[in-house]
Amino acid sequence: MYWIALKMLFGDRVKFVTLLVGLSFSVLLITQQGSIFCGLMKRTSATIFNTGAPVWVSDARIRSVDDVKPLQDTDLPRVRSVTGVQYALPLLFRITQAQLPSGDSENILLVGVDEQALIGIPQAVRQGNLSRLNQPEAVAVDDSSLEKLGNPGLNSTFEINDKRARITAIVGAKRSFFAYPYVYTTFSRALEYMPRQRKLMSFVLAYPKPGISAERLALQIERETGLGAFTEEEFLWHTIGYYMKNTGIPINFGITIFLGLLVGAAISAQTFYAFVMENMRQFGTFKAIGVGNGTLIRMIFLQSSTVSIMGYGIGVGLLALFASRIPPNGVVAFYTPWQLLAIAFVFIVVISVFASLVAGWRVLRIEPAIVFRG
């Protein structure tokens, strides 16, 4: 009987193709828009990924990694004195302007790191050498936004707040949410580039002693200093949560994803209902020859689940094709976690069950006598 159910499904090619197109488009829309949303949210924490510190120490009122509330110079030795801290390093992180040789200005993310350790700079060096950052005027730039700096090469120069900067290294870094180029240099030189203020240190990067977890160290720092302390993962989600609550990104993408769900459910349920109605005489025949209601419902569920799984596979395949055309770390933010694919699959299952229930309700009510009507 189940083989007959599949032959009925594949035999009506128009309805079968319509079902596949509707479901595939819905899965593609959900996963594609969801992947762009996840990619954008991931870019809000690009600075955290690029730095790679286990514990971030900041002002206790900080809302995201971009919401810099400067620390006092005395906060660094306070963090270093905390039980469990192996070493702690200063980090300066500021949005400022660079003046390019072309005469244009460009916003940049200036990052100042400890002169000796150079921790906080991505270690994927594309060109040059990070050890040269201790030379006069030396900076490193990330390769994801070179076009915004005029596609400079090694030893090219530009100005930061009327002070010259010379590129001695190009590193691989994740693109930031605002697509500002990262410019890395030593902490003392970053202070020279920035207008003088009373407080300029943005964060303290803390590293735990062997045997002490980052979570335990963060709690210890908060307890002993009163400052805010986050593990890398905690700071990542803290930042994402801020953008989720304070921007229109979730609402805009949520509307698009909801429309995809609505279109897929409506098209699939309506088309599958019409398919069952057109085959009502066949189901009446099955009833007339003694096929039970349970078997009929399982046949309908087999039909709906088969087309749903095929639609899911086609939709995910189209997503993979779309993703393959997007350059890594390019302008379009794109990230597909496995949870997103799982959500899309659950959506397909729900549609399958819903369509089966709607169609099955009609089948259960038919009388075998329908077969003998003219």
Side-chain angles (χ1 to χ4, degrees):
M1 297 302 297
Y2 299 123
W3 175 246
I4 296 176
L6 292 178
K7 291 190 69 174
M8 290 170 58
L9 175 67
F10 298 141
D12 193 340
R13 294 185 179 181
V14 175
K15 292 288 191 302
F16 177 67
V17 171
T18 303
L19 282 167
L20 278 183
V21 170
L23 287 168
S24 301
F25 175 76
S26 297
V27 171
L28 175 62
L29 186 61
I30 294 167
T31 54
Q32 188 256 2
Q33 291 295 302
S35 295
I36 293 177
F37 171 77
C38 292
L40 284 173
M41 290 297 99
K42 191 175 181 180
R43 284 190 178 179
T44 63
S45 305
T47 300
I48 302 172
F49 285 113
N50 291 333
T51 304
V55 177
W56 290 68
V57 183
S58 65
D59 186 281
R61 299 164 297 171
I62 196 169
R63 296 176 296 178
S64 73
V65 69
D66 299 312
D67 178 40
V68 176
K69 292 178 170 58
L71 301 173
Q72 298 181 7
D73 294 340
T74 55
D75 289 330
L76 180 59
R78 290 176 62 206
V79 174
R80 286 174 172 169
S81 66
V82 171
T83 305
V85 173
Q86 185 175 23
Y87 56 92
L89 305 171
L91 183 75
L92 186 148
F93 175 67
R94 286 287 193 282
I95 299 176
T96 187
Q97 273 201 340
Q99 294 78 44
L100 308 182
S102 63
D104 296 330
S105 297
E106 183 66 45
N107 286 331
I108 62 170
L109 294 171
L110 181 65
V111 181
V113 301
D114 181 77
E115 284 83 351
Q116 301 301 319
L118 297 180
I119 290 178
I121 304 176
Q123 298 302 302
V125 180
R126 310 301 189 202
Q127 298 180 47
N129 197 318
L130 291 180
S131 62
R132 296 175 61 192
L133 282 181
N134 286 297
Q135 297 177 0
E137 304 175 341
V139 299
V141 298
D142 77 283
D143 61 351
S144 67
S145 304
L146 283 177
E147 68 278 2
K148 291 198 169 187
L149 296 176
N151 292 310
L154 290 178
N155 297 315
S156 298
T157 61
F158 57 93
E159 292 184 351
I160 304 176
N161 293 327
D162 298 324
K163 296 181 178 64
R164 193 169 74 162
R166 181 169 52 88
I167 299 174
T168 59
I170 298 175
V171 299
K174 295 185 181 297
R175 187 184 290 261
S176 68
F177 180 74
F178 298 103
Y180 295 151
Y182 283 97
V183 176
Y184 298 94
T185 189
T186 61
F187 189 84
S188 60
R189 186 168 299 113
L191 293 178
E192 296 175 3
Y193 285 137
M194 295 300 300
R196 198 61 197 169
Q197 299 176 11
R198 186 171 62 88
K199 297 189 294 184
L200 277 171
M201 185 171 60
S202 307
F203 301 98
V204 174
L205 308 180
Y207 290 75
K209 291 180 179 178
I212 297 179
S213 66
E215 292 79 7
R216 179 181 170 187
L217 180 61
L219 291 174
Q220 190 69 21
I221 291 173
E222 289 185 344
R223 187 179 301 114
E224 295 189 23
T225 66
L227 298 171
F230 306 88
T231 65
E232 184 178 41
E233 185 174 358
E234 288 173 347
F235 203 24
L236 182 152
W237 286 110
H238 189 71
T239 297
I240 291 176
Y242 170 77
Y243 280 91
M244 290 277 287
K245 294 176 183 177
N246 295 278
T247 68
I249 296 175
I251 295 176
N252 292 330
F253 279 92
I255 292 173
T256 303
I257 293 173
F258 174 75
L259 289 176
L261 290 169
L262 190 62
V263 169
I267 292 177
S268 302
Q270 183 178 7
T271 306
F272 193 73
Y273 183 80
F275 165 78
V276 172
M277 291 301 295
E278 289 185 3
N279 288 277
M280 197 63 73
R281 292 180 65 88
Q282 286 84 339
F283 286 112
T285 302
F286 296 146
K287 270 197 167 185
I289 63 175
V291 177
N293 286 336
T295 302
L296 293 176
I297 293 297
R298 287 192 291 272
M299 290 173 63
I300 294 172
F301 183 78
L302 175 63
Q303 291 171 334
S304 62
S305 59
T306 298
V307 75
S308 296
I309 292 174
M310 292 179 67
Y312 174 80
I314 294 173
V316 172
L318 292 173
L319 174 73
L321 180 63
F322 179 84
S324 67
R325 301 301 179 93
I326 299 177
N329 214 26
V331 176
V332 178
F334 202 85
Y335 172 63
T336 308
W338 67 265
Q339 293 90 341
L340 180 61
L341 298 178
I343 290 172
F345 183 76
V346 170
F347 158 70
I348 285 295
V349 172
V350 170
I351 286 184
S352 175
V353 172
F354 176 73
S356 298
L357 290 176
V358 172
W361 178 77
R362 289 291 299 170
V363 170
L364 292 178
R365 296 181 62 189
I366 64 173
E367 295 293 334
I370 193 176
V371 178
F372 306 104
R373 293 175 185 172

